[in-house]
Amino acid sequence: MKPRTLAITALSASAVFVASLIAVMFSVYLDTPRASPFNESFSLIDDQGKPVDRSIFKGHPSLVYFGYTHCPEACPTTLYEITGWFAALGEQGRPLKAYFFSIDPERDTQTVMHDYVTAFGDRITGVTGRVQEMKKVAKGWFIHAEKQPADDGNYHMSHTVDLLLVGADGRLKGLIPYGSDQDAALAKIRSLLLSQAKGA
């Protein structure tokens, strides 16, 4: 093989290796809890019309989920599971808050969100508002959310389906992957959120 060919081959292999390494590092980064608290400024409202800003992530541990009311499976399943976790935790889960942020605020108005979250109980707070403001929150938590056309001419949302475990300090402590069984989810909530809240 000629020197020039060898150089090109080596360069190509090196480029592939570097690209793969960056992809792996980025993947690990997304799965690693934030080293710093959430500090993006935003202005939204909850399902009762009360203002919501970044202080919502401070002062108490919380379960944070990004989804939308037209979601066919992941969102209603997750909210149903959250209600079950609260029931299983009982008094131990009293410090815990739960927030459902709409990634589709164009359709998810305050009234729509209120009707939706209250159907699962009274412990989940819906959050909606202006599209650009919601994008700030999603970006701040590294949440993927993208409109995709549907066959009926409407659209659906492709989005991150993992649930965020946020500590009272506003830092991401871990994730509960979609489809986790209840025992595994409760163990994470107790160890990553409630044990710290008890010791605070």
PDB file of all heavy atoms in Angstrom, residues 22-54:
ATOM      1  N   ILE A  22     -16.641  10.753  20.798  1.00  0.00           N
ATOM      2  CA  ILE A  22     -17.482  11.898  21.134  1.00  0.00           C
ATOM      3  C   ILE A  22     -18.914  11.449  21.383  1.00  0.00           C
ATOM      4  O   ILE A  22     -19.570  11.905  22.320  1.00  0.00           O
ATOM      5  CB  ILE A  22     -17.435  12.959  20.009  1.00  0.00           C
ATOM      6  CG1 ILE A  22     -16.053  13.618  19.972  1.00  0.00           C
ATOM      7  CG2 ILE A  22     -18.523  14.016  20.205  1.00  0.00           C
ATOM      8  CD1 ILE A  22     -15.851  14.551  18.793  1.00  0.00           C
ATOM      9  N   ALA A  23     -19.407  10.534  20.559  1.00  0.00           N
ATOM     10  CA  ALA A  23     -20.773  10.029  20.723  1.00  0.00           C
ATOM     11  C   ALA A  23     -20.942   9.329  22.067  1.00  0.00           C
ATOM     12  O   ALA A  23     -21.937   9.517  22.769  1.00  0.00           O
ATOM     13  CB  ALA A  23     -21.126   9.066  19.581  1.00  0.00           C
ATOM     14  N   VAL A  24     -19.941   8.515  22.433  1.00  0.00           N
ATOM     15  CA  VAL A  24     -19.995   7.808  23.720  1.00  0.00           C
ATOM     16  C   VAL A  24     -19.951   8.794  24.880  1.00  0.00           C
ATOM     17  O   VAL A  24     -20.711   8.683  25.843  1.00  0.00           O
ATOM     18  CB  VAL A  24     -18.826   6.801  23.836  1.00  0.00           C
ATOM     19  CG1 VAL A  24     -18.743   6.252  25.253  1.00  0.00           C
ATOM     20  CG2 VAL A  24     -19.006   5.666  22.848  1.00  0.00           C
ATOM     21  N   MET A  25     -19.046   9.784  24.775  1.00  0.00           N
ATOM     22  CA  MET A  25     -18.919  10.788  25.837  1.00  0.00           C
ATOM     23  C   MET A  25     -20.209  11.579  25.994  1.00  0.00           C
ATOM     24  O   MET A  25     -20.655  11.864  27.101  1.00  0.00           O
ATOM     25  CB  MET A  25     -17.758  11.738  25.529  1.00  0.00           C
ATOM     26  CG  MET A  25     -16.389  11.097  25.657  1.00  0.00           C
ATOM     27  SD  MET A  25     -15.058  12.194  25.107  1.00  0.00           S
ATOM     28  CE  MET A  25     -15.160  13.487  26.337  1.00  0.00           C
ATOM     29  N   PHE A  26     -20.855  11.924  24.873  1.00  0.00           N
ATOM     30  CA  PHE A  26     -22.102  12.678  24.920  1.00  0.00           C
ATOM     31  C   PHE A  26     -23.202  11.840  25.555  1.00  0.00           C
ATOM     32  O   PHE A  26     -23.990  12.321  26.367  1.00  0.00           O
ATOM     33  CB  PHE A  26     -22.504  13.105  23.512  1.00  0.00           C
ATOM     34  CG  PHE A  26     -23.725  13.984  23.469  1.00  0.00           C
ATOM     35  CD1 PHE A  26     -23.680  15.262  24.001  1.00  0.00           C
ATOM     36  CD2 PHE A  26     -24.903  13.525  22.915  1.00  0.00           C
ATOM     37  CE1 PHE A  26     -24.800  16.085  23.961  1.00  0.00           C
ATOM     38  CE2 PHE A  26     -26.021  14.327  22.875  1.00  0.00           C
ATOM     39  CZ  PHE A  26     -25.969  15.609  23.388  1.00  0.00           C
ATOM     40  N   SER A  27     -23.236  10.554  25.202  1.00  0.00           N
ATOM     41  CA  SER A  27     -24.240   9.654  25.775  1.00  0.00           C
ATOM     42  C   SER A  27     -24.065   9.535  27.280  1.00  0.00           C
ATOM     43  O   SER A  27     -25.025   9.586  28.043  1.00  0.00           O
ATOM     44  CB  SER A  27     -24.127   8.272  25.120  1.00  0.00           C
ATOM     45  OG  SER A  27     -25.005   7.358  25.728  1.00  0.00           O
ATOM     46  N   VAL A  28     -22.828   9.383  27.727  1.00  0.00           N
ATOM     47  CA  VAL A  28     -22.544   9.294  29.167  1.00  0.00           C
ATOM     48  C   VAL A  28     -22.924  10.590  29.860  1.00  0.00           C
ATOM     49  O   VAL A  28     -23.497  10.598  30.938  1.00  0.00           O
ATOM     50  CB  VAL A  28     -21.050   8.975  29.401  1.00  0.00           C
ATOM     51  CG1 VAL A  28     -20.699   9.122  30.884  1.00  0.00           C
ATOM     52  CG2 VAL A  28     -20.726   7.562  28.924  1.00  0.00           C
ATOM     53  N   TYR A  29     -22.624  11.711  29.168  1.00  0.00           N
ATOM     54  CA  TYR A  29     -22.950  13.025  29.738  1.00  0.00           C
ATOM     55  C   TYR A  29     -24.446  13.164  29.974  1.00  0.00           C
ATOM     56  O   TYR A  29     -24.887  13.641  31.023  1.00  0.00           O
ATOM     57  CB  TYR A  29     -22.458  14.115  28.798  1.00  0.00           C
ATOM     58  CG  TYR A  29     -22.874  15.510  29.190  1.00  0.00           C
ATOM     59  CD1 TYR A  29     -22.343  16.123  30.324  1.00  0.00           C
ATOM     60  CD2 TYR A  29     -23.799  16.212  28.417  1.00  0.00           C
ATOM     61  CE1 TYR A  29     -22.718  17.406  30.677  1.00  0.00           C
ATOM     62  CE2 TYR A  29     -24.175  17.496  28.773  1.00  0.00           C
ATOM     63  CZ  TYR A  29     -23.626  18.091  29.897  1.00  0.00           C
ATOM     64  OH  TYR A  29     -24.004  19.351  30.230  1.00  0.00           O
ATOM     65  N   LEU A  30     -25.250  12.714  29.012  1.00  0.00           N
ATOM     66  CA  LEU A  30     -26.695  12.817  29.155  1.00  0.00           C
ATOM     67  C   LEU A  30     -27.209  11.948  30.291  1.00  0.00           C
ATOM     68  O   LEU A  30     -28.225  12.266  30.901  1.00  0.00           O
ATOM     69  CB  LEU A  30     -27.388  12.416  27.839  1.00  0.00           C
ATOM     70  CG  LEU A  30     -27.239  13.399  26.673  1.00  0.00           C
ATOM     71  CD1 LEU A  30     -27.957  12.860  25.457  1.00  0.00           C
ATOM     72  CD2 LEU A  30     -27.793  14.775  27.039  1.00  0.00           C
ATOM     73  N   ASP A  31     -26.537  10.838  30.575  1.00  0.00           N
ATOM     74  CA  ASP A  31     -26.974   9.928  31.627  1.00  0.00           C
ATOM     75  C   ASP A  31     -26.360  10.250  32.977  1.00  0.00           C
ATOM     76  O   ASP A  31     -26.592   9.549  33.950  1.00  0.00           O
ATOM     77  CB  ASP A  31     -26.627   8.473  31.254  1.00  0.00           C
ATOM     78  CG  ASP A  31     -27.502   7.963  30.112  1.00  0.00           C
ATOM     79  OD1 ASP A  31     -28.601   8.523  29.935  1.00  0.00           O
ATOM     80  OD2 ASP A  31     -27.085   7.040  29.414  1.00  0.00           O
ATOM     81  N   THR A  32     -25.539  11.300  33.037  1.00  0.00           N
ATOM     82  CA  THR A  32     -24.870  11.669  34.284  1.00  0.00           C
ATOM     83  C   THR A  32     -25.612  12.808  34.955  1.00  0.00           C
ATOM     84  O   THR A  32     -25.918  13.806  34.306  1.00  0.00           O
ATOM     85  CB  THR A  32     -23.422  12.111  34.000  1.00  0.00           C
ATOM     86  OG1 THR A  32     -22.738  11.040  33.352  1.00  0.00           O
ATOM     87  CG2 THR A  32     -22.692  12.457  35.299  1.00  0.00           C
ATOM     88  N   PRO A  33     -25.923  12.681  36.247  1.00  0.00           N
ATOM     89  CA  PRO A  33     -26.610  13.761  36.954  1.00  0.00           C
ATOM     90  C   PRO A  33     -25.855  15.084  36.842  1.00  0.00           C
ATOM     91  O   PRO A  33     -24.630  15.111  36.808  1.00  0.00           O
ATOM     92  CB  PRO A  33     -26.647  13.251  38.398  1.00  0.00           C
ATOM     93  CG  PRO A  33     -26.639  11.771  38.262  1.00  0.00           C
ATOM     94  CD  PRO A  33     -25.741  11.493  37.091  1.00  0.00           C
ATOM     95  N   ARG A  34     -26.623  16.174  36.768  1.00  0.00           N
ATOM     96  CA  ARG A  34     -26.025  17.501  36.659  1.00  0.00           C
ATOM     97  C   ARG A  34     -25.143  17.793  37.860  1.00  0.00           C
ATOM     98  O   ARG A  34     -25.492  17.494  38.987  1.00  0.00           O
ATOM     99  CB  ARG A  34     -27.120  18.564  36.608  1.00  0.00           C
ATOM    100  CG  ARG A  34     -28.032  18.485  35.417  1.00  0.00           C
ATOM    101  CD  ARG A  34     -29.172  19.457  35.585  1.00  0.00           C
ATOM    102  NE  ARG A  34     -28.696  20.831  35.613  1.00  0.00           N
ATOM    103  CZ  ARG A  34     -28.694  21.632  34.550  1.00  0.00           C
ATOM    104  NH1 ARG A  34     -29.105  21.181  33.402  1.00  0.00           N
ATOM    105  NH2 ARG A  34     -28.270  22.870  34.643  1.00  0.00           N
ATOM    106  N   ALA A  35     -24.001  18.403  37.612  1.00  0.00           N
ATOM    107  CA  ALA A  35     -23.101  18.786  38.694  1.00  0.00           C
ATOM    108  C   ALA A  35     -23.540  20.103  39.325  1.00  0.00           C
ATOM    109  O   ALA A  35     -23.133  20.447  40.418  1.00  0.00           O
ATOM    110  CB  ALA A  35     -21.677  18.906  38.173  1.00  0.00           C
ATOM    111  N   SER A  36     -24.374  20.840  38.604  1.00  0.00           N
ATOM    112  CA  SER A  36     -24.837  22.123  39.118  1.00  0.00           C
ATOM    113  C   SER A  36     -26.361  22.183  39.058  1.00  0.00           C
ATOM    114  O   SER A  36     -26.991  21.455  38.301  1.00  0.00           O
ATOM    115  CB  SER A  36     -24.247  23.261  38.278  1.00  0.00           C
ATOM    116  OG  SER A  36     -24.636  23.118  36.921  1.00  0.00           O
ATOM    117  N   PRO A  37     -26.973  23.053  39.864  1.00  0.00           N
ATOM    118  CA  PRO A  37     -28.431  23.153  39.861  1.00  0.00           C
ATOM    119  C   PRO A  37     -28.946  23.799  38.582  1.00  0.00           C
ATOM    120  O   PRO A  37     -28.206  24.457  37.854  1.00  0.00           O
ATOM    121  CB  PRO A  37     -28.732  24.027  41.084  1.00  0.00           C
ATOM    122  CG  PRO A  37     -27.492  24.821  41.288  1.00  0.00           C
ATOM    123  CD  PRO A  37     -26.365  23.920  40.869  1.00  0.00           C
ATOM    124  N   PHE A  38     -30.224  23.617  38.316  1.00  0.00           N
ATOM    125  CA  PHE A  38     -30.870  24.219  37.155  1.00  0.00           C
ATOM    126  C   PHE A  38     -30.928  25.728  37.364  1.00  0.00           C
ATOM    127  O   PHE A  38     -31.461  26.209  38.355  1.00  0.00           O
ATOM    128  CB  PHE A  38     -32.286  23.653  37.004  1.00  0.00           C
ATOM    129  CG  PHE A  38     -33.036  24.199  35.826  1.00  0.00           C
ATOM    130  CD1 PHE A  38     -33.024  23.528  34.615  1.00  0.00           C
ATOM    131  CD2 PHE A  38     -33.758  25.373  35.923  1.00  0.00           C
ATOM    132  CE1 PHE A  38     -33.725  24.021  33.524  1.00  0.00           C
ATOM    133  CE2 PHE A  38     -34.456  25.882  34.839  1.00  0.00           C
ATOM    134  CZ  PHE A  38     -34.436  25.202  33.639  1.00  0.00           C
ATOM    135  N   ASN A  39     -30.378  26.490  36.428  1.00  0.00           N
ATOM    136  CA  ASN A  39     -30.325  27.942  36.595  1.00  0.00           C
ATOM    137  C   ASN A  39     -30.881  28.725  35.414  1.00  0.00           C
ATOM    138  O   ASN A  39     -30.613  29.912  35.270  1.00  0.00           O
ATOM    139  CB  ASN A  39     -28.890  28.397  36.874  1.00  0.00           C
ATOM    140  CG  ASN A  39     -28.474  28.136  38.312  1.00  0.00           C
ATOM    141  OD1 ASN A  39     -29.263  28.336  39.233  1.00  0.00           O
ATOM    142  ND2 ASN A  39     -27.254  27.656  38.504  1.00  0.00           N
ATOM    143  N   GLU A  40     -31.654  28.059  34.553  1.00  0.00           N
ATOM    144  CA  GLU A  40     -32.260  28.768  33.420  1.00  0.00           C
ATOM    145  C   GLU A  40     -33.436  29.621  33.911  1.00  0.00           C
ATOM    146  O   GLU A  40     -34.260  29.155  34.686  1.00  0.00           O
ATOM    147  CB  GLU A  40     -32.778  27.769  32.378  1.00  0.00           C
ATOM    148  CG  GLU A  40     -31.715  26.899  31.749  1.00  0.00           C
ATOM    149  CD  GLU A  40     -30.819  27.662  30.803  1.00  0.00           C
ATOM    150  OE1 GLU A  40     -31.276  28.665  30.229  1.00  0.00           O
ATOM    151  OE2 GLU A  40     -29.659  27.254  30.643  1.00  0.00           O
ATOM    152  N   SER A  41     -33.492  30.875  33.468  1.00  0.00           N
ATOM    153  CA  SER A  41     -34.617  31.734  33.825  1.00  0.00           C
ATOM    154  C   SER A  41     -35.774  31.476  32.864  1.00  0.00           C
ATOM    155  O   SER A  41     -35.573  31.409  31.648  1.00  0.00           O
ATOM    156  CB  SER A  41     -34.211  33.206  33.751  1.00  0.00           C
ATOM    157  OG  SER A  41     -33.229  33.493  34.723  1.00  0.00           O
ATOM    158  N   PHE A  42     -36.981  31.326  33.391  1.00  0.00           N
ATOM    159  CA  PHE A  42     -38.151  31.119  32.552  1.00  0.00           C
ATOM    160  C   PHE A  42     -39.392  31.584  33.305  1.00  0.00           C
ATOM    161  O   PHE A  42     -39.370  31.764  34.526  1.00  0.00           O
ATOM    162  CB  PHE A  42     -38.288  29.651  32.141  1.00  0.00           C
ATOM    163  CG  PHE A  42     -38.532  28.707  33.290  1.00  0.00           C
ATOM    164  CD1 PHE A  42     -39.825  28.420  33.720  1.00  0.00           C
ATOM    165  CD2 PHE A  42     -37.467  28.094  33.940  1.00  0.00           C
ATOM    166  CE1 PHE A  42     -40.047  27.547  34.780  1.00  0.00           C
ATOM    167  CE2 PHE A  42     -37.680  27.229  35.000  1.00  0.00           C
ATOM    168  CZ  PHE A  42     -38.969  26.957  35.422  1.00  0.00           C
ATOM    169  N   SER A  43     -40.475  31.764  32.559  1.00  0.00           N
ATOM    170  CA  SER A  43     -41.737  32.208  33.147  1.00  0.00           C
ATOM    171  C   SER A  43     -42.882  31.406  32.538  1.00  0.00           C
ATOM    172  O   SER A  43     -43.213  31.559  31.359  1.00  0.00           O
ATOM    173  CB  SER A  43     -41.942  33.707  32.895  1.00  0.00           C
ATOM    174  OG  SER A  43     -43.181  34.137  33.424  1.00  0.00           O
ATOM    175  N   LEU A  44     -43.482  30.533  33.348  1.00  0.00           N
ATOM    176  CA  LEU A  44     -44.580  29.686  32.905  1.00  0.00           C
ATOM    177  C   LEU A  44     -45.713  29.775  33.922  1.00  0.00           C
ATOM    178  O   LEU A  44     -45.668  30.580  34.845  1.00  0.00           O
ATOM    179  CB  LEU A  44     -44.095  28.238  32.750  1.00  0.00           C
ATOM    180  CG  LEU A  44     -43.048  27.995  31.658  1.00  0.00           C
ATOM    181  CD1 LEU A  44     -42.424  26.613  31.798  1.00  0.00           C
ATOM    182  CD2 LEU A  44     -43.673  28.151  30.266  1.00  0.00           C
ATOM    183  N   ILE A  45     -46.745  28.963  33.749  1.00  0.00           N
ATOM    184  CA  ILE A  45     -47.843  28.902  34.720  1.00  0.00           C
ATOM    185  C   ILE A  45     -48.156  27.449  35.026  1.00  0.00           C
ATOM    186  O   ILE A  45     -47.896  26.557  34.208  1.00  0.00           O
ATOM    187  CB  ILE A  45     -49.119  29.602  34.216  1.00  0.00           C
ATOM    188  CG1 ILE A  45     -49.591  28.981  32.895  1.00  0.00           C
ATOM    189  CG2 ILE A  45     -48.894  31.100  34.080  1.00  0.00           C
ATOM    190  CD1 ILE A  45     -50.965  29.465  32.451  1.00  0.00           C
ATOM    191  N   ASP A  46     -48.729  27.212  36.214  1.00  0.00           N
ATOM    192  CA  ASP A  46     -49.146  25.848  36.525  1.00  0.00           C
ATOM    193  C   ASP A  46     -50.593  25.651  36.102  1.00  0.00           C
ATOM    194  O   ASP A  46     -51.220  26.563  35.531  1.00  0.00           O
ATOM    195  CB  ASP A  46     -48.921  25.516  37.999  1.00  0.00           C
ATOM    196  CG  ASP A  46     -49.814  26.287  38.960  1.00  0.00           C
ATOM    197  OD1 ASP A  46     -50.847  26.854  38.522  1.00  0.00           O
ATOM    198  OD2 ASP A  46     -49.510  26.316  40.162  1.00  0.00           O
ATOM    199  N   ASP A  47     -51.142  24.483  36.342  1.00  0.00           N
ATOM    200  CA  ASP A  47     -52.488  24.175  35.851  1.00  0.00           C
ATOM    201  C   ASP A  47     -53.583  24.942  36.585  1.00  0.00           C
ATOM    202  O   ASP A  47     -54.750  24.866  36.215  1.00  0.00           O
ATOM    203  CB  ASP A  47     -52.746  22.662  35.924  1.00  0.00           C
ATOM    204  CG  ASP A  47     -52.694  22.130  37.334  1.00  0.00           C
ATOM    205  OD1 ASP A  47     -51.581  21.955  37.867  1.00  0.00           O
ATOM    206  OD2 ASP A  47     -53.751  21.886  37.924  1.00  0.00           O
ATOM    207  N   GLN A  48     -53.205  25.681  37.624  1.00  0.00           N
ATOM    208  CA  GLN A  48     -54.176  26.538  38.310  1.00  0.00           C
ATOM    209  C   GLN A  48     -53.969  28.017  37.988  1.00  0.00           C
ATOM    210  O   GLN A  48     -54.607  28.886  38.565  1.00  0.00           O
ATOM    211  CB  GLN A  48     -54.080  26.319  39.819  1.00  0.00           C
ATOM    212  CG  GLN A  48     -54.454  24.901  40.231  1.00  0.00           C
ATOM    213  CD  GLN A  48     -54.518  24.741  41.736  1.00  0.00           C
ATOM    214  OE1 GLN A  48     -55.058  25.578  42.445  1.00  0.00           O
ATOM    215  NE2 GLN A  48     -53.961  23.655  42.232  1.00  0.00           N
ATOM    216  N   GLY A  49     -53.048  28.285  37.074  1.00  0.00           N
ATOM    217  CA  GLY A  49     -52.810  29.653  36.646  1.00  0.00           C
ATOM    218  C   GLY A  49     -51.791  30.414  37.459  1.00  0.00           C
ATOM    219  O   GLY A  49     -51.552  31.605  37.223  1.00  0.00           O
ATOM    220  N   LYS A  50     -51.142  29.752  38.394  1.00  0.00           N
ATOM    221  CA  LYS A  50     -50.135  30.414  39.225  1.00  0.00           C
ATOM    222  C   LYS A  50     -48.796  30.471  38.485  1.00  0.00           C
ATOM    223  O   LYS A  50     -48.451  29.542  37.755  1.00  0.00           O
ATOM    224  CB  LYS A  50     -49.965  29.670  40.545  1.00  0.00           C
ATOM    225  CG  LYS A  50     -51.223  29.633  41.403  1.00  0.00           C
ATOM    226  CD  LYS A  50     -51.009  28.785  42.644  1.00  0.00           C
ATOM    227  CE  LYS A  50     -52.289  28.694  43.467  1.00  0.00           C
ATOM    228  NZ  LYS A  50     -52.124  27.793  44.653  1.00  0.00           N
ATOM    229  N   PRO A  51     -48.031  31.552  38.674  1.00  0.00           N
ATOM    230  CA  PRO A  51     -46.747  31.673  37.978  1.00  0.00           C
ATOM    231  C   PRO A  51     -45.742  30.621  38.428  1.00  0.00           C
ATOM    232  O   PRO A  51     -45.712  30.232  39.592  1.00  0.00           O
ATOM    233  CB  PRO A  51     -46.281  33.086  38.352  1.00  0.00           C
ATOM    234  CG  PRO A  51     -47.010  33.434  39.602  1.00  0.00           C
ATOM    235  CD  PRO A  51     -48.327  32.729  39.511  1.00  0.00           C
ATOM    236  N   VAL A  52     -44.937  30.186  37.486  1.00  0.00           N
ATOM    237  CA  VAL A  52     -43.900  29.177  37.732  1.00  0.00           C
ATOM    238  C   VAL A  52     -42.581  29.693  37.173  1.00  0.00           C
ATOM    239  O   VAL A  52     -42.523  30.116  36.017  1.00  0.00           O
ATOM    240  CB  VAL A  52     -44.254  27.831  37.062  1.00  0.00           C
ATOM    241  CG1 VAL A  52     -43.078  26.862  37.135  1.00  0.00           C
ATOM    242  CG2 VAL A  52     -45.492  27.217  37.698  1.00  0.00           C
ATOM    243  N   ASP A  53     -41.542  29.659  37.993  1.00  0.00           N
ATOM    244  CA  ASP A  53     -40.212  30.019  37.531  1.00  0.00           C
ATOM    245  C   ASP A  53     -39.211  28.972  38.035  1.00  0.00           C
ATOM    246  O   ASP A  53     -39.614  27.933  38.552  1.00  0.00           O
ATOM    247  CB  ASP A  53     -39.815  31.434  37.960  1.00  0.00           C
ATOM    248  CG  ASP A  53     -39.837  31.620  39.474  1.00  0.00           C
ATOM    249  OD1 ASP A  53     -39.659  30.621  40.207  1.00  0.00           O
ATOM    250  OD2 ASP A  53     -40.036  32.766  39.925  1.00  0.00           O
ATOM    251  N   ARG A  54     -37.915  29.252  37.917  1.00  0.00           N
ATOM    252  CA  ARG A  54     -36.913  28.244  38.238  1.00  0.00           C
ATOM    253  C   ARG A  54     -36.889  27.857  39.713  1.00  0.00           C
ATOM    254  O   ARG A  54     -36.325  26.825  40.077  1.00  0.00           O
ATOM    255  CB  ARG A  54     -35.527  28.709  37.803  1.00  0.00           C
ATOM    256  CG  ARG A  54     -35.025  29.957  38.491  1.00  0.00           C
ATOM    257  CD  ARG A  54     -33.723  30.409  37.872  1.00  0.00           C
ATOM    258  NE  ARG A  54     -33.243  31.641  38.462  1.00  0.00           N
ATOM    259  CZ  ARG A  54     -32.180  32.313  38.035  1.00  0.00           C
ATOM    260  NH1 ARG A  54     -31.500  31.838  36.990  1.00  0.00           N
ATOM    261  NH2 ARG A  54     -31.796  33.422  38.612  1.00  0.00           N
TER     262      ARG A  54
END
